[in-house]
Amino acid sequence: MKLKKILILTLFLLINAIIVSCQVTSTGVTSEFTTTTFTTTTNSTTQTSGTTVSTTIDNTSELSNSPSPEEDSRPSASFTDGRIIIDNGNKEFTYRNARIIDNDINITTYGDSYIDNGESSRFNGSFTPSIETAGYYKIYINYPELENASDEVYLQIDYNGGLLSDYSKVIDQTMNAGYWVLIGTYYLAEGINNAVHIFGDNNKTVAADAIMFELSVATDEITSDIELEFNDLRPTGSVVKVLKTRALESRLSVDGQAFFAKGICGVDELELMAEAGANTARTYSVEALEDGAILDQAYELGIKIVVGLWMDHESSSFTYYDNPSGVEEQYNQLIKAVDKYKNHPAILAWAVGNEVDISTSEHPLAIYDAINDIAKYIHENDPFHPTMAVLAGSSTTKIARIAKYAPHIDIIGINSYKHIGNVKTNIISWVGPYMVTEFAMNQPMDTTLKTTWSAIIEPSSQEKADLYYQRYNEFILGEKDNGCVGSYAFKDTGSFRVTHTWYGIIYEGKKTPQYYAMMAAWTETDRVTSLQIDQVTLNDRSQLESVYFNKGETVSIDILINQEDLSNVTISFEVKNEVSISTNNIPIARTDFNITSTENLSEFLMTINNISGNYRLFVYIENEEGQISTYSYVFAVN
């Protein structure tokens, strides 16, 4: 690699000696990231300070050089808001042996074109800013996402007025395309002798689109008193890449290998989930990492972690618009966590918040600014792991806002249950990959099956397992070629709604039918039969009949189990008060219901208490193989 670098730089110095540098002028130019339709020959129009410059570009032409100074009609870059952005369409960019390419509709670039090397190593280009204010500048590079992009693009940074040069920077253009990638911070003296040079790579595509010079500290001399940012641009952990354009088929890779996320929400029981075929898990906050111990465990198990960066939700006491100091404090805490864990090889991505952009916010753009600021920091300081925003449902409005106001988000995460079938339609406006970051059967609040007194009826374990399996295969794996790069099954991370058994892929360390359903889904194998309660009746009546009992009455409990031999099966019970959908605390088990066994191993007797109310009977069966099944039955006492 060192020999290759030396040869390339030597070639550059020889070629660069014959390039005529020109003094640039300062005329304002403002560009935005745009997409235009690709055509073989186009008339390209660039707006600059009220002046329209038209040129005819032939994308099928041979490699060419930049115009000579006397023939160069391209606009000049300018120093605006502390930044100088040199686009390939500015005269401060000179090049040899390159092609000018108009934007394809699926490729996002800075300005309306980019330049590539035609897979030739003879290409070189130079971005030479006119520095009017000397000081320390952060230097960023931007390039489009292209097929056959080079993962070793060599740069040379000439700084301190060209007296010093940095030859160490190597850019991987197969990742982080479309973003400003931080190269480092350099002292740039006044004048036109500072520069960023880029070189071609034989049989690989090298793109030159834009360089940004952002003033950090104005000073007339180099000083050691300023804390500088120098990006190594080389990973110390894993490298996770996201291809974002639909033309290239949205996909995810880890260390060069295609990766489809087969994930769970929460990081407890990682060993059991790895055994089932899961390859990733997501946290909701950095506290769940237990100071890195969870990352170490995940790495040993071959599981990648999406680290959740918890962001406060808006409330009557906190809004993003009205509390800039609180937002800044949150930002500082989260970027410290990024710096702490970014080099760990178990990290897959960063989830910036979870369901933060609530629809009731009066100033939603303040929320998206906060999301984007954190994602931007990650792109600059950890360019090897993508960013993700997690939304509650697949609202097309929220998806469009993320795309527009949080451009540093790589992946959209959708938490969806009852309406998971809508995701594939609503996400179509998002140009890039997405994940279903929470899914299961319907949530309690979405369940329409109720008693006459409106108590929610919980599905059986088998009904839950069937929905996990069906939804994964149809709406997640089935959309693998349409931008979906995986999912995270909600397996109950301590949340409570109506019952403590509602989700439960794992229950008290044991495997439920839902566990085996997800094992079959993740491993794409046949489903296996596990221990299962098919039905529970009280006095031969199902809970669908809205059952009432009298105080002190003795009731028969019949349990239908999917196996005849119950010799190794343990059956247990709990009775709890029925609670509303808004209750967050699990009710304690009551002791005033007496349950006794009979000669039949699957039949029991229950004596009703003497207090009127609504109750829920929980039945648990488990065996010596670590399997468990649960069933809840809601009833009322007159």
Side-chain angles (χ1 to χ4, degrees), residues 19 26 150 172 270 359 363 368 395 398 417-418 447 449 451 474 497 537 571 605:
I19 298 177
S26 177
S150 174
D172 183 347
L270 282 180
S359 57
H363 302 283
Y368 296 112
S395 162
K398 290 182 179 179
Y417 295 79
K418 179 181 179 179
T447 300
L449 199 58
T451 65
E474 181 175 354
R497 289 291 183 274
T537 60
I571 304 176
L605 297 176

Side-chain angles (χ1 to χ4, degrees), residues 432-582:
Y434 72 93
M435 291 184 179
V436 180
T437 38
E438 284 182 17
F439 81 96
M441 66 286 182
N442 291 353
Q443 295 176 295
M445 63 283 289
D446 293 326
T447 300
T448 57
L449 199 58
K450 301 178 181 180
T451 65
T452 54
W453 62 89
S454 298
I456 293 172
I457 294 176
E458 181 177 353
S460 70
S461 293
Q462 191 59 47
E463 291 172 323
K464 298 173 187 177
D466 290 344
L467 274 173
Y468 271 100
Y469 184 79
Q470 177 262 327
R471 288 178 171 177
Y472 178 86
N473 281 286
E474 181 175 354
F475 302 118
I476 296 164
L477 187 62
E479 296 301 314
K480 186 175 182 179
D481 294 331
N482 296 316
C484 183
V485 292
S487 65
Y488 293 82
F490 193 79
K491 71 174 187 66
D492 186 7
T493 55
S495 61
F496 171 77
R497 289 291 183 274
V498 180
T499 78
H500 59 287
T501 56
W502 194 273
Y503 301 103
I505 290 178
I506 299 289
Y507 182 78
E508 293 189 348
K510 298 179 176 63
K511 305 169 184 176
T512 69
Q514 300 96 289
Y515 175 91
Y516 290 98
M518 288 312 305
M519 174 185 283
W522 285 330
T523 58
E524 300 183 46
T525 56
D526 293 335
R527 293 176 67 178
V528 299
T529 302
S530 62
L531 185 65
Q532 170 64 45
I533 299 176
D534 292 328
Q535 174 90 354
V536 172
T537 60
L538 301 186
N539 282 353
D540 296 325
R541 300 170 67 188
S542 79
Q543 61 182 329
L544 296 176
E545 300 178 59
S546 300
V547 179
Y548 290 82
F549 296 114
N550 295 317
K551 298 176 182 178
E553 182 180 353
T554 298
V555 176
S556 64
I557 304 173
D558 291 284
I559 308 169
L560 182 61
I561 301 173
N562 68 336
Q563 64 182 52
E564 294 183 3
D565 183 8
L566 302 181
S567 59
N568 72 334
V569 174
T570 301
I571 304 176
S572 57
F573 305 88
E574 285 183 313
V575 178
K576 298 175 182 285
N577 289 349
E578 173 63 8
V579 295
S580 70
I581 193 72
S582 60

Side-chain angles (χ1 to χ4, degrees), residues 92-109:
E92 289 81 5
F93 174 63
T94 56
Y95 57 89
R96 296 182 65 81
N97 299 310
R99 300 183 306 170
I100 303 175
I101 309 294
D102 288 339
N103 294 3
D104 183 273
I105 193 170
N106 292 303
I107 297 178
T108 301
T109 66

Side-chain angles (χ1 to χ4, degrees), residues 33 35 129 174 218 226 276 284 315 424 499 520 524:
F33 288 95
T35 56
T174 68
I226 300 174
Y284 291 80
S315 64
K424 63 180 180 180
T499 78
E524 300 183 46

Side-chain angles (χ1 to χ4, degrees), residues 3 13 32 50 59 62 106 108 116 118 137 140 149 158 187 224 283 286 328 338 420 437 475 477 489 493 524 534 557:
L3 179 59
L13 294 173
E32 296 293 335
N59 291 327
E62 297 296 326
N106 292 303
T108 301
D116 74 21
Y137 285 76
Y140 300 81
D158 294 339
Y187 179 78
S224 59
T283 72
V286 293
E328 182 180 7
V338 172
I420 189 172
T437 38
F475 302 118
L477 187 62
T493 55
E524 300 183 46
D534 292 328
I557 304 173

Side-chain angles (χ1 to χ4, degrees), residues 180-306:
W180 289 113
V181 177
L182 179 63
I183 299 171
T185 304
Y186 297 86
Y187 179 78
L188 304 185
E190 290 183 8
I192 59 170
N193 293 320
N194 310 282
V196 175
H197 310 290
I198 186 170
F199 306 93
D201 188 354
N202 201 30
N203 298 320
K204 289 285 188 177
T205 300
V206 173
D209 187 14
I211 296 286
M212 178 167 65
F213 304 85
E214 183 177 71
L215 181 61
S216 293
V217 180
T219 177
D220 291 332
E221 59 183 7
I222 294 180
T223 175
S224 59
D225 297 332
I226 300 174
E227 185 177 347
L228 304 179
E229 296 183 44
F230 286 97
N231 269 15
D232 189 349
L233 301 178
R234 302 181 193 219
T236 56
S238 61
V239 176
V240 182
K241 297 182 181 181
V242 172
L243 296 183
K244 297 178 290 297
T245 62
R246 288 294 171 92
L248 298 175
E249 181 184 330
S250 300
R251 57 191 181 270
L252 190 66
S253 70
V254 176
D255 295 331
Q257 300 297 314
F259 189 89
F260 191 77
K262 304 170 184 179
I264 52 170
C265 298
V267 290
D268 42 1
E269 296 117 0
L270 282 180
E271 290 186 8
L272 286 174
M273 301 317 300
E275 181 185 330
N279 60 11
T280 177
R282 63 173 289 228
T283 72
Y284 291 80
S285 68
V286 293
E287 285 72 22
L289 299 179
E290 298 179 5
D291 202 29
I294 292 295
L295 290 174
D296 294 340
Q297 181 191 15
Y299 180 69
E300 292 296 324
L301 293 170
I303 286 183
K304 295 293 183 182
I305 301 296
V306 171

